Amino acid sequence: MSDAAATPAAASAQAATPATPTTPAAAPAHAAPPARSLPGGGAQHRHVIVAIVNNRPGVLNRVSSLMRARNFNIESLAVSHTDAPDVSRMTITLRGDDVLVEQATKQLYRLIDVLKVQDLTADPTVEQELALVKVRVADANRAEVIKVVELYRARVVDVSEGSVIVEVTGTEAEVDALVALLRGFGIKELVRTGTVVMSRGSGSIEEATKR
Amino acid sequence: MTITGDPAQRPSRTSHVPNEGTAEAAAIERARRDMLNDARPRRRTRIGADVVCEALIRQGVDVFFGYPGGVILPLYDVLADYPELRHVLVRHEQGGAHAADGYARVTGRVGVCMGTSGPGATNLVTGIGTALLDSIPMVAITGNVPGALIGKDAFQEIDINGITLPMTKHNYLVRDANELPRVFAEAFHIARTGRPGPVHIDITKDALQQETHAEHPSDEEVVAGLPGFRPNVEGHPRQLKLAVGEIGRAKRPMILAGHGVLHARAWEDLQAFAEKTQIPVAHTLLGIGAMPEDHPLSYGYMGMHGWKHVNRAIQSADLLVAIGMRFDDRVTGNVRTYAPYARIVHVDIDPAEIGKNVAVEVPIVGDAGRVLRALLPMVDAVDPAVRAAYFEELAAWRRESEAGSWHGSGAWRDGYLSADYVVSRIGVLTDHRATYVGDVGQNQMWLARYAGFQLPNSHVSSGGLGTMGFCVPAAMGAALGAPERETWAITGDGGFQMTFQELMTLVQDEIPVKIALFDNKKLGMIRQWQEIIYAGNYHSAHLLGPDYLKLAEAFGIPGRKAAAPEEVDEAIRWAQGVDGPALVWFEIAEEQNVFPMMPAGKGLSDLIEKWGGADE
């Protein structure tokens, strides 16, 4: 009944009856029955899901089509091969409450090509994202841009008369922070890979997938 | 360079093929040529089309439904070599898909339908969607243009693989005949294992024609090749124990039996479990038949147009044991006000169904039959006397709600033909032992409420997708699947006019479906909603229909009309006596509503039981 107090009617029902639903016989005749809690409705936060999938044509389409059809909003999606050539790894970040993400996980498992899904949100992980930012510069502020870039342990990988390309690696938040700063100089182009994540320690989702 | 009038002076050009001289261009040239010239040689080798037929036979398919077309012709070219396979030529691919669906519903086996590329494939789509939403095991086969032409917008090419991707359990595009044995074995395994569902196999024309020696895999090889598909069928022992605790504590328990009980063929297990625990059983639309309706513990059909006593019992229950059902919005109404006093034990084979629509206290992932068999020795036998007060109350509610049913309907009193009366007479005169196939809308609800079902898989209805036009073609498949039973197609005039072209298939293939056509000259459910929810603002609810007797006659089907209550029994008996398909045209009251009705968005306690003057 975590969110039973969300509506005024439910709130008054809560006051009149015990927190646990009781049988009609035990409930006061005048009291409205307590509202049933809906699945979900909990605190929204960012989740990182890793899916190990068959490396076959169309699998990315299956996953993205499912997420769209089931109304899950993907924030980022990164796909690559794993060490096994027939298996790919997807890192999906999405926003929602725990129930929604559990549903997404279960729905992913319904796909025949999905071998293993793990929600790594709560686990200790290494999380990285790479971004390339083409920043507008003039002679006057080039040095300033480079200073900011160095401060963030990013690097300049291309320099031309009117712009520099900055490469930055870090968590989504770290990349966000640098991008926000660079926006002050003027961003001509921005590309981000999406987050990739790996759990710390010796455990391996890939090994856990092997049969 | 100037172009002159003299052809000899023009710059030479050997071909209009892009990338002339490359392997890709050669393949396209070959494919284009093959599309026109593909008669097989007299002495032939094993080709992809043979593999398809072999695979169907290996899977126990005896009848399938299809429609030929350019790229699937290689398959039709070899079909005559496989007399074990009965191919029913339908009149529209949608009819083929629904027929495969109807066949699957009555037999519990995988239904098979087939069409060509492009429009043939898109016509199958509605039937595939219907099968997905109702978890029907089905394999849909389509041809596609030769592999080299894929993506070139060739004649009758459409990305059908992309279209069926979100509406199948799994789908395949096969471009190499050597893959066909594995793909077919996997497709049937996936379609019928775990939560059943449709699988689509798209095969390029050149793969159908390609010589192959590939062997069919064993069952073990199929399972080993699908590491991502291991449905959990056994309930977790810890969860089972929790469920037993809930059941032991409950004072007002109710079992909600869904389609999953029928899929698992667990009707006997359900009955044994209900009898031992003395828990009454309510059923969903697709759960009808999971328990004979004359069983003392069978309480009736729930939901939007379900029985008032059933919904009332759910609203006052302290425990719902939901088995193989998914708390669809037509079952729960507003979830906030659904079964407010009940804790819920939810058994489903699909983990994604648990916690999707309602939060539950005890989730159990597993096959309905296995879970029920595991629970049976664990639960205490309950003395019915313990529940005497509960049962008495339920019985009183039931008497009240049944008394307020068709017996009191105004249509009946005024001498109009009342649809619920016709349905109940069909039920009685067939001894409740026929297969009853509904369409969608009012006729579907009347059928579900009044036919009185006794046998599992005797009720066929498009529940999830609500596909109008489902009835006649599905009845065709159902009749072929269960030839020992009479098959009644109970349809409205709206749905009938969508797919009655299959009447000709009934004649050509001698399929003895009895059609009860409920003609109120309306889209009845639309009219009902417009009357009640849209303030009587009728639009497009009135529906002109043909002279159905002449229509039947044109197809070569005997027809008969009944417009008054006293003509009903005779008409039904007449149809039963016809050797082959027959049509009875019931001219029913034009403005009869289905009550009770739960308006969308409202709760199970907000049933409308009367409206205006017509039904009072």
Side-chain angles (χ1 to χ4, degrees):
Chain A
M1 301 298 290
S2 60
D3 60 337
T7 64
S12 62
Q14 284 276 300
T17 55
T20 334
T22 51
T23 61
H30 60 273
R36 174 169 289 283
S37 64
L38 296 170
Q44 304 262 321
H45 48 91
R46 177 173 168 273
H47 289 257
V48 186
I49 296 175
V50 172
I52 301 294
V53 303
N54 282 327
N55 179 17
R56 284 189 193 148
V59 177
L60 176 58
N61 189 7
R62 286 181 201 281
V63 169
S64 57
S65 166
L66 178 144
M67 297 305 244
R68 174 194 55 76
R70 296 276 170 192
N71 214 6
F72 303 122
N73 205 350
I74 299 181
E75 287 199 338
S76 79
L77 173 63
V79 193
S80 74
H81 299 294
T82 62
D83 193 37
D86 56 341
V87 169
S88 293
R89 177 178 180 127
M90 295 185 180
T91 311
I92 304 165
T93 60
L94 64 161
R95 282 195 77 76
D97 70 350
D98 293 348
V99 174
L100 178 118
V101 175
E102 192 190 332
Q103 256 295 311
T105 308
K106 287 167 163 181
Q107 291 291 350
L108 282 171
Y109 266 123
R110 292 178 68 176
L111 296 177
I112 309 290
D113 284 321
V114 171
L115 306 176
K116 187 144 186 80
V117 185
Q118 233 173 44
D119 182 357
L120 291 179
T121 312
D123 297 6
T125 56
V126 178
E127 195 181 319
Q128 295 288 358
E129 179 175 7
L130 184 142
L132 296 174
V133 196
K134 190 176 280 182
V135 186
R136 196 186 310 277
V137 292
D139 289 343
N141 63 5
R142 185 175 290 115
E144 196 186 339
V145 169
I146 291 171
K147 206 166 144 195
V148 168
V149 166
E150 279 170 354
L151 218 59
Y152 271 81
R153 294 198 194 139
R155 59 195 190 114
V156 172
V157 290
D158 182 66
V159 182
S160 69
E161 199 156 316
S163 68
V164 293
I165 298 179
V166 177
E167 178 200 298
V168 58
T169 310
T171 64
E172 204 181 304
E174 285 164 359
V175 173
D176 282 348
L178 178 59
V179 168
L181 270 181
L182 293 176
R183 204 167 281 139
F185 301 98
I187 292 177
K188 289 165 74 74
E189 218 178 310
L190 169 69
V191 58
R192 300 172 69 149
T193 57
T195 299
V196 292
V197 64
M198 194 174 276
S199 61
R200 292 182 183 271
S202 60
S204 157
I205 181 172
E206 262 182 74
E207 280 175 9
T209 310
K210 287 202 179 105
R211 46 277 178 194
Chain B
M1 189 182 301
T2 52
I3 295 178
T4 66
D6 178 4
Q9 298 295 310
R10 285 185 197 152
S12 72
R13 185 165 185 180
T14 52
S15 161
H16 289 281
V17 176
N19 312 322
E20 176 69 19
T22 63
E24 190 204 358
I28 292 175
E29 282 285 80
R30 217 168 26 249
R32 291 228 165 91
R33 233 181 8 252
D34 289 351
M35 276 183 89
L36 296 173
N37 176 24
D38 50 9
R40 69 190 156 98
R42 284 260 165 261
R43 285 168 58 81
R44 63 188 191 89
T45 49
R46 179 182 187 249
I47 58 172
D50 293 295
V51 176
V52 173
C53 296
E54 291 164 15
L56 294 181
I57 293 166
R58 283 172 67 90
Q59 298 294 341
V61 175
D62 50 3
V63 58
F64 68 119
F65 307 87
Y67 203 102
V71 296
I72 195 87
L73 270 179
L75 190 52
Y76 282 84
D77 199 33
V78 304
L79 260 186
D81 297 348
Y82 301 91
E84 308 94 309
L85 294 173
R86 177 175 176 192
H87 174 266
V88 174
L89 174 63
V90 293
R91 294 301 180 274
H92 187 286
E93 289 87 350
Q94 183 191 348
H98 289 326
D101 181 320
Y103 174 89
R105 288 187 205 233
V106 298
T107 59
R109 289 157 56 190
V110 180
V112 179
C113 56
M114 189 160 85
T116 191
S117 63
T122 55
N123 281 347
L124 285 172
V125 164
T126 303
I128 295 173
T130 307
L132 179 76
L133 270 276
D134 289 352
S135 308
I136 303 302
M138 177 193 283
V139 168
I141 304 165
T142 55
N144 206 333
V145 299
L149 292 187
I150 285 185
K152 306 284 183 202
D153 297 325
F155 177 62
Q156 294 192 330
E157 188 202 350
I158 196 86
D159 174 22
I160 191 62
N161 211 252
I163 292 172
T164 61
L165 183 138
M167 46 186 293
T168 49
K169 202 168 164 189
H170 196 53
N171 68 359
Y172 295 92
L173 168 61
V174 185
R175 307 169 70 138
D176 177 357
N178 294 315
E179 286 182 12
L180 283 170
R182 174 185 63 82
V183 166
F184 269 81
E186 284 185 7
F188 277 84
H189 174 69
I190 291 169
R192 67 173 161 242
T193 309
R195 179 181 185 171
V199 179
H200 169 225
I201 307 175
D202 195 25
I203 314 169
T204 61
K205 185 184 185 189
D206 49 339
L208 285 173
Q209 291 171 313
Q210 177 192 342
E211 184 180 340
T212 175
H213 302 287
E215 285 177 23
H216 296 277
S218 68
D219 292 352
E220 294 72 31
E221 285 167 332
V222 171
V223 173
L226 291 169
F229 183 62
R230 299 282 152 79
N232 208 347
V233 291
E234 306 285 358
H236 194 286
R238 189 183 62 229
Q239 297 303 97
L240 295 178
K241 255 185 226 148
L242 288 174
V244 169
E246 296 284 349
I247 291 164
R249 283 189 294 276
K251 298 282 177 279
R252 301 176 64 89
M254 180 69 72
I255 292 173
L256 309 181
H259 205 181
V261 175
L262 295 170
H263 282 312
R265 309 187 82 72
W267 42 86
E268 281 167 14
D269 304 308
L270 173 70
Q271 197 166 322
F273 178 76
E275 282 166 1
K276 187 171 178 191
T277 55
Q278 286 295 306
I279 304 182
V281 179
H283 49 243
T284 66
L285 176 67
L286 296 182
I288 286 175
M291 197 147 172
E293 282 186 23
D294 60 357
H295 191 285
L297 285 168
S298 169
Y299 200 55
Y301 160 51
M302 67 176 92
M304 179 178 263
H305 289 287
W307 290 93
K308 185 187 179 190
H309 59 268
V310 181
N311 289 336
R312 209 167 161 184
I314 290 170
Q315 289 305 80
S316 76
D318 65 353
L319 176 70
L320 300 178
V321 183
I323 308 172
M325 55 86 75
R326 59 184 170 90
F327 294 101
D328 175 74
D329 53 283
R330 275 355 192 209
V331 155
T332 61
N334 182 352
V335 175
R336 283 261 175 214
T337 59
Y338 179 70
Y341 305 104
R343 292 171 66 79
I344 298 179
V345 174
H346 190 184
V347 182
D348 203 290
I349 196 157
D350 184 354
E353 285 306 338
I354 288 168
K356 187 178 84 177
N357 295 334
V358 298
V360 300
E361 277 73 22
V362 183
I364 302 178
V365 176
D367 170 85
R370 288 178 191 248
V371 170
L372 282 168
R373 285 193 291 278
L375 282 175
L376 190 62
M378 296 168 71
V379 290
D380 293 329
V382 172
D383 180 357
V386 175
R387 302 217 201 278
Y390 178 42
F391 284 167
E392 246 168 60
E393 191 175 18
L394 290 185
W397 288 353
R398 183 176 196 155
R399 277 193 301 275
E400 187 190 318
S401 106
E402 287 183 347
S405 185
W406 64 268
H407 304 284
S409 119
W412 166 249
R413 267 204 317 271
D414 300 340
Y416 291 116
L417 195 48
S418 165
D420 39 15
Y421 173 70
V422 179
V423 167
S424 68
R425 291 313 296 168
I426 292 174
V428 169
L429 294 177
T430 52
D431 197 24
H432 309 285
R433 273 167 173 68
T435 304
Y436 308 89
V437 186
D439 204 74
V440 168
Q442 288 186 320
N443 64 84
Q444 182 181 30
M445 296 300 116
W446 283 317
L447 174 64
R449 289 171 59 88
Y450 300 104
F453 295 90
Q454 298 295 334
L455 299 178
N457 295 328
S458 65
H459 172 245
V460 175
S461 190
S462 168
L465 199 63
T467 309
M468 275 179 72
F470 173 78
C471 179
V472 170
M476 189 161 85
L480 289 172
E484 71 286 357
R485 303 204 293 238
E486 224 171 78
T487 300
W488 277 84
I490 289 149
T491 179
D493 49 328
F496 183 72
Q497 288 188 63
M498 281 188 173
T499 53
F500 67 67
Q501 76 281 351
E502 301 304 339
L503 292 180
M504 208 60 234
T505 314
L506 297 180
V507 173
Q508 183 170 355
D509 278 79
E510 299 176 349
I511 306 170
V513 171
K514 315 295 177 192
I515 298 160
L517 173 64
F518 287 5
D519 179 19
N520 53 6
K521 298 164 187 67
K522 297 281 183 293
L523 295 175
M525 192 62 95
I526 298 297
R527 197 208 61 79
Q528 176 170 347
W529 278 52
Q530 288 178 339
E531 178 184 357
I532 295 172
I533 302 169
Y534 293 91
N537 186 15
Y538 301 114
H539 194 291
S540 302
H542 183 75
L543 188 72
L544 210 58
D547 179 330
Y548 293 102
L549 294 185
K550 282 189 184 159
L551 180 92
E553 192 192 346
F555 281 102
I557 293 180
R560 183 167 176 150
K561 190 166 165 178
E566 55 276 13
E567 297 166 13
V568 169
D569 281 17
E570 208 193 324
I572 295 169
R573 288 211 182 88
W574 167 83
Q576 289 178 301
V578 172
D579 182 23
L583 182 143
V584 186
W585 177 11
F586 292 103
E587 270 200 321
I588 58 166
E590 289 193 22
E591 301 197 338
Q592 189 180 0
N593 287 332
V594 184
F595 286 125
M597 169 189 188
M598 173 178 65
K602 293 290 180 71
L604 281 190
S605 304
D606 308 318
L607 301 178
I608 296 175
E609 291 175 86
K610 282 188 192 321
W611 193 265
D615 289 85
E616 300 225 319

